[in-house]
C-alpha cells in the first residue's frame, strides 16, 4: 500500500492566473518559497529554498500541461501532482496529491505532515493571489536553527 497526502482549495481567480502563480518563481516567492533557480517547465530542474530551512531542494522530473497540471519530484520516493480545474464561475479548483511512499510508521507521519503542509501551501496561495497577502511571511520563523 502506498501512502499519499492530498489537499484541495478553490481560488477565486481564473485558471491562467493560478497556473502562473505556481510556475512563476516571482509569484511563488510571495507565498511559498524564498528562492528558485527558475520557472517550472517540462524537463527542467530547479532548486528551491525555503525561508525557514538552510537546505536547498532540487525539483526535477517536471511535467507541465499549461493551465491543467504541474507535476514534479522533490523527494525521490514521491511524485507531486497539482491539477487545476476551471469552474463555471471562472474560479479555479486546485488539487495537490503527493504519493508513493510505502506504509510504515515514519512515512505515516510524513503523510500527515505533508497533507497539512499542502493545505498551508494552498491557503497561502489563495491569500496571495486573491488579496496580495503574504500569510507565510514570518509564520515559520520558529523552525529556524539557532
Amino acid at each position: 500500500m502506498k501512502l499519499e497526502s492530498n489537499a484541495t482549495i478553490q481560488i477565486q481567480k481564473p485558471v491562467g492566473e493560478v497556473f502562473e502563480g505556481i510556475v512563476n518563481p516571482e509569484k511563488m516567492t510571495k507565498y511559498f518559497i524564498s528562492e528558485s533557480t527558475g520557472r517550472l517547465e517540462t524537463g527542467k530542474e530547479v532548486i528551491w529554498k525555503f525561508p525557514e530551512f538552510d537546505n536547498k531542494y532540487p525539483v526535477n522530473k517536471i511535467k507541465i500541461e499549461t493551465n491543467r497540471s504541474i507535476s514534479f519530484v522533490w523527494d525521490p520516493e514521491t511524485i507531486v501532482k497539482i491539477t487545476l480545474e476551471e469552474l463555471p464561475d471562472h474560479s479555479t479548483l486546485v488539487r495537490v496529491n503527493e504519493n508513493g511512499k510505502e506504509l510504515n510508521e515514519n512515512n505515516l507521519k510524513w503523510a500527515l505532515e505533508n497533507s497539512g503542509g499542502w493545505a498551508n501551501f494552498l491557503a497561502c496561495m489563495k491569500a496571495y493571489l486573491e488579496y496580495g497577502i503574504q500569510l507565510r511571511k514570518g509564520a515559520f520563523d520558529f523552525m529556524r536553527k539557532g
Side-chain angles (χ1 to χ4, degrees), residues 46-63:
V46 299
I47 307 293
W48 282 349
K49 182 159 184 349
F50 291 84
E52 61 273 10
F53 302 118
D54 292 333
N55 296 350
K56 294 186 177 188
Y57 299 87
V59 177
N60 53 51
K61 297 184 182 168
I62 299 168
K63 290 184 186 149

Side-chain angles (χ1 to χ4, degrees), residues 6-22:
N6 291 289
T8 305
I9 205 165
Q10 186 172 341
I11 296 178
Q12 304 304 311
K13 291 289 178 182
V15 71
E17 283 187 49
V18 177
F19 176 81
E20 190 63 18
I22 298 168

Side-chain angles (χ1 to χ4, degrees), residues 27-32 120-137:
K27 295 188 183 287
M28 255 195 152
T29 54
K30 303 289 193 291
Y31 70 88
F32 186 51
N120 182 268
F121 161 81
L122 291 173
C124 290
M125 181 169 57
K126 180 178 177 68
Y128 174 69
L129 292 178
E130 289 183 9
Y131 303 103
I133 296 168
Q134 296 184 28
L135 283 182
R136 191 175 176 99
K137 189 173 185 175

Side-chain angles (χ1 to χ4, degrees), residues 66-122:
T66 302
N67 296 341
R68 294 183 53 115
S69 71
I70 298 111
S71 69
F72 58 85
V73 171
W74 65 353
D75 172 338
E77 295 178 55
T78 68
I79 295 173
V80 175
K81 185 160 189 179
I82 303 170
T83 56
L84 307 175
E85 179 186 343
E86 187 167 18
L87 299 177
D89 66 355
H90 302 291
S91 66
T92 304
L93 191 61
V94 185
R95 291 183 176 93
V96 181
N97 172 275
E98 185 171 8
N99 70 62
K101 288 195 184 270
E102 295 295 332
L103 175 58
N104 64 41
E105 194 171 329
N106 283 344
N107 290 346
L108 191 55
K109 183 179 176 209
W110 164 89
L112 292 169
E113 286 177 354
N114 274 30
S115 291
W118 286 119
N120 182 268
F121 161 81
L122 291 173

